[in-house]
Amino acid sequence: MAGTAGTPGTPRVLRAMNDRAALDLLLEHGPLSRTRIGKLTGLSKPTASQLLARLEAAGLVLATGTSEGRPGPNAQLYSVNPGAAHAAGLDVNPARIRAAVADVTGRTVGEYELPTPGRRSAQSVVTQVTDALDGAVKAAGLARDDVRRLVIGTPGAFDPNTGRLRYASHLPGWHSPALLDDLAAALPMPVEYENDVNLAAIAEQRLGAARGHGDFVLLWNEEGLGAALVLGGRLHRGWTGGAGEVGFLPVPGAPLVRQVTKANSGGYQELAGAQSLPRLADALDIGDLPAGSHSEAAAALVARAADHGSGPHHELLRTYATRIATGLASLVSVLDPELVVLSGTVLTAGGEVLRALVQAELEELAAARPRLVVGEVQEHPVLRGALESALATTRDEVFDTSR
C-alpha cells in the first residue's frame, strides 16, 4: 500500500485503530475470546489472532482463563492488563484532600484522605498535595513514578489567562500566582486542574445518569451551589473558567448581593444553598436540627423531609424545591439542555420526591422542558470524575500502538 508509516490508510495506522477498538471493547465488556473480539470488530480470525498476539507482547492484554461452562470447546479469554498504566485524582476542599489511584481499567486500587484544617500557605498546599497523592500511591502498593497523570479538582477554576484560582476565595493557600509552577516542580507526572462540579459531570457522563447525552446541565449543591454545562458533548468552561458559578446568580426571592467575590456568595446561594435550609427549618418551627457542617445538616434535613408526606417537613421540601427551580429556570432558559442532573449530597438526599417537586416547579417557571434526573454517581463523584478524566488521556497515550 502506498504512503509512509503513520499516514492514514497505511497498515500501521489501520492496525493501531483496530488495536484501540479491541481494547475499548475489552474495557466495556470484560474478558472476551478471540472469536468474540473478531465478531465485534469485524476482523477475520487470523487478523484477530495477530492483534491479540501484538497486544499481549506490548503488555496491554493478558490471557485470563477460559470460557468454561459454555457450549462448545473452551476458548481462551483475554482482558486488558490492569497494570499497563495508572492514573490519579484529587478532590480538594477547605477541610480535606481526598486522593485515589486507579489502574487503566478504571478500578480504584488505592485511596487516602488528608485532613487540612486551618490556614495554609502556598508551600503547605504543595506539601499537602504531594502527601495526599503519596498516601493513595502507597495504599495501591505503587511508587509515585508509576502514576502517568494526575487530575486535581478544586472549587472555582484556574483562569487559563492568568493561571490563578478564581471563584473560590474560601480555599486558603491556593491563590499564589506561583502555585501551579510549584506543583509542577514537585510532581513528576503531567497535572491537570478542573473545577470540582465539572468533574462530577464527567463522572455522570461516563458512568452515571448522563451516559449517552451530549447536552446536559449538572446542578450541584453541597457547601456551595454550582453547575456544570456540557454542550455538544464538551464541557463549557467560559473565558475565565467561571461558567457554571451559579451561586452568584441574582434571583427573585433573595436580596441583591453586591461585591459577590468578596462575599463569596450571591442571590442563588443565599436562597437555595446549604446554609438556607436550617434557617428555613427554623422559620417552619421544625425543631431538633441535625448537627454537622452546613451541607451535612442540610442533607439530613432534606432526607428527613423527603420521608414525611405532610406537615412542616413537606412544606420545607416544597419551598426548597421552588427555590432550586427559581435559579434553574434561568439556566434552562438560556441553555435549553436535554437533561438536568441533580447532584451533590443536599440534592441527592431528597431522591425522587425532591426531583419530582423540582420538575413540577420548573415546568411552571421556564418554557424549556428538560428531563430532570437524580445523579447516579453518589460515592465521591468529584474524585471519580478526576480519575475518569485522568484515565481518558492516559488510555489515549498507552493504547496508541502506532507510536
Side-chain angles (χ1 to χ4, degrees):
M1 195 178 286
T4 57
T7 308
T10 61
R12 179 176 159 195
V13 171
L14 292 173
R15 273 200 306 269
M17 288 166 69
N18 288 336
D19 290 349
R20 180 62 196 258
L23 288 162
D24 285 343
L25 286 165
L26 289 168
L27 282 177
E28 187 183 348
H29 297 287
L32 295 171
S33 67
R34 180 194 62 185
T35 306
R36 186 85 184 112
I37 288 169
K39 278 189 177 142
L40 289 168
T41 55
L43 298 174
S44 67
K45 272 190 182 175
T47 307
S49 293
Q50 288 169 359
L51 177 151
L52 285 164
R54 193 164 58 244
L55 293 179
E56 205 174 354
L60 294 175
V61 303
L62 299 171
T64 52
T66 56
S67 57
E68 290 175 25
R70 297 181 193 177
N74 291 346
Q76 177 68 62
L77 295 177
Y78 296 88
S79 61
V80 172
N81 175 9
H86 292 87
L90 259 62
D91 168 15
V92 177
N93 75 17
R96 52 103 189 110
I97 298 176
R98 191 177 280 140
V101 175
D103 66 33
V104 80
T105 69
R107 188 172 65 96
T108 300
V109 292
E111 292 181 87
Y112 188 76
E113 188 166 314
L114 180 74
T116 56
R119 296 183 63 80
R120 277 178 270 181
S121 65
Q123 193 47 53
S124 68
V125 163
V126 173
T127 304
Q128 287 169 351
V129 164
T130 53
D131 286 353
L133 175 64
D134 286 344
V137 165
K138 186 180 175 187
L142 299 169
R144 202 193 279 183
D145 287 348
D146 293 325
V147 175
R148 286 187 70 101
R149 181 166 295 270
L150 171 66
V151 171
I152 299 178
T154 66
F158 284 91
D159 186 330
N161 307 292
T162 64
R164 294 191 69 166
L165 187 69
R166 298 181 64 155
Y167 314 109
S169 57
H170 62 299
L171 197 61
W174 283 78
H175 297 85
S176 157
L179 179 64
L180 297 191
D181 289 339
D182 292 345
L183 283 167
L187 295 163
M189 73 290 291
V191 186
E192 290 174 32
Y193 301 86
E194 185 60 88
N195 169 263
D196 51 4
V197 182
N198 285 350
L199 291 176
I202 287 172
E204 291 293 346
Q205 192 177 31
R206 298 266 164 80
L207 309 168
R211 270 174 302 192
H213 294 277
D215 283 88
F216 71 95
V217 166
L218 181 134
L219 184 68
W220 174 269
N221 197 359
E222 281 200 7
E223 291 297 330
L225 261 171
L229 321 174
V230 177
L231 311 173
R234 298 170 69 94
L235 272 169
H236 177 71
R237 296 180 178 86
W239 174 243
T240 62
E245 293 290 343
V246 294
F248 297 123
L249 197 68
V251 290
L256 274 179
V257 178
R258 298 186 183 274
Q259 295 191 312
V260 291
T261 47
K262 261 189 190 166
N264 199 39
S265 189
Y268 196 23
Q269 179 66 35
E270 294 301 316
L271 185 74
Q275 79 273 29
S276 71
L277 279 148
R279 294 201 293 258
L280 185 55
D282 208 31
L284 291 166
D285 286 329
I286 296 172
D288 188 26
L289 295 183
S293 66
H294 278 320
S295 62
E296 288 164 344
L301 269 172
V302 168
R304 197 190 294 171
D307 288 337
H308 286 68
S310 59
H313 282 95
H314 183 70
E315 184 60 25
L316 177 137
L317 202 65
R318 213 176 53 74
T319 305
Y320 176 57
T322 302
R323 291 179 174 195
I324 288 293
T326 301
L328 205 45
S330 294
L331 272 178
V332 304
S333 298
V334 173
L335 297 170
D336 186 21
E338 178 189 3
L339 188 76
V340 174
V341 180
L342 302 178
S343 183
T345 50
V346 184
L347 286 168
T348 56
E352 174 56 25
V353 182
L354 176 61
R355 186 212 65 79
L357 287 169
V358 177
Q359 179 94 58
E361 282 294 83
L362 188 61
E363 287 179 2
E364 295 203 4
L365 299 176
R369 296 284 172 94
R371 188 163 62 90
L372 263 66
V373 294
V374 179
E376 292 173 8
V377 183
Q378 294 187 17
E379 189 177 349
H380 309 327
V382 174
L383 186 59
R384 189 68 246 170
L387 288 172
E388 288 299 317
S389 179
L391 283 166
T393 311
T394 298
R395 287 170 185 152
D396 285 345
E397 292 169 355
V398 175
F399 290 173
D400 182 0
T401 57
S402 72
R403 295 189 174 204

